[in-house]
Amino acid sequence: MSSEIRPARRKILIADDAFDSRQLLSRLLRQFVDADIHEARNGLLASQEYRMTRPQLVFLDIDMPERDGMEVLKEIRQEQPDAFVVMVTGFSAVEKVQEAIALGVGGFVVKPYSAQRILDVLHKYVAETGDTELLRGD
C-alpha cells in the first residue's frame, strides 16, 4: 500500500436551467479537466450546491429560475470573495453583464459553447489561480 497523500479532487459546478446546456458543457469540460462536475438546474439549487461542495470553478448561467445568476454570484462573493466564477449566457442585458464584471467574474461564455472558448476560460483560471492540477495532462 502506498502512503502517498493525494490532493483532493477538484470540483466544478455548472448551474444552468437548460438540461442540454448543462450536459454539453459537462462533456466539453471532461475533455480538459480532471474534476468532479456537479450540476444545478436553478439558482436556488446552485446556491445550495455551492455551499455543500465548495467548487474551485463555477459556471453560472445569468438567467435562471428560482434565483438568477446575479443573485447567486453575489452570495458566492459574500462567502468566498476570490471564487472563480464564469458567467454563462445565451442572451442577457448589457446591465447584467456590466454588473457581473463589476463583481469580478473570471470570464464569460456565450452559448452555444465551443471547445476552444471553454479551454480559454480554463487557461485563464489556471493563470489566475495557479491551480495547474485542474487540467488534464497531455
Side-chain angles (χ1 to χ4, degrees):
M1 269 192 218
S2 171
S3 61
E4 176 184 329
I5 297 175
R6 295 181 185 198
R9 278 183 57 88
R10 301 303 191 265
K11 295 177 219 106
I12 296 174
L13 173 60
I14 300 171
D16 193 322
D17 58 313
F19 175 79
D20 291 343
S21 291
R22 287 194 316 271
Q23 292 299 298
L24 176 58
L25 182 52
S26 181
R27 277 196 311 273
L28 288 170
L29 285 167
R30 288 181 200 287
Q31 294 177 30
F32 305 118
V33 301
D34 183 22
D36 293 328
I37 298 176
H38 300 263
E39 298 181 14
R41 69 178 186 272
N42 64 47
L44 180 60
L45 294 173
S47 293
Q48 293 170 354
E49 190 69 27
Y50 182 84
R51 283 189 199 100
M52 285 190 306
T53 61
R54 292 294 181 183
Q56 284 73 34
L57 179 57
V58 179
F59 287 86
L60 187 59
D61 189 15
I62 291 177
D63 299 307
M64 289 187 291
E66 303 293 328
R67 227 178 248 159
D68 75 11
M70 296 308 299
E71 291 177 72
V72 177
L73 175 61
K74 289 173 186 173
E75 290 174 12
I76 290 172
R77 285 286 173 253
Q78 287 177 347
E79 292 183 32
Q80 189 176 356
D82 62 343
F84 197 91
V85 179
V86 177
M87 300 307 287
V88 174
T89 186
F91 172 80
S92 204
V94 173
E95 296 81 25
K96 285 187 179 180
V97 171
Q98 291 171 336
E99 183 180 3
I101 291 169
L103 289 168
V105 294
F108 280 90
V109 176
V110 178
K111 298 176 194 177
Y113 304 116
S114 75
Q116 185 59 55
R117 183 64 184 125
I118 299 305
L119 188 56
D120 290 345
V121 166
L122 292 171
H123 281 279
K124 184 175 182 191
Y125 166 83
V126 169
E128 289 188 17
T129 65
D131 182 4
T132 58
E133 298 293 318
L134 182 74
L135 291 177
R136 289 188 187 281
D138 290 326

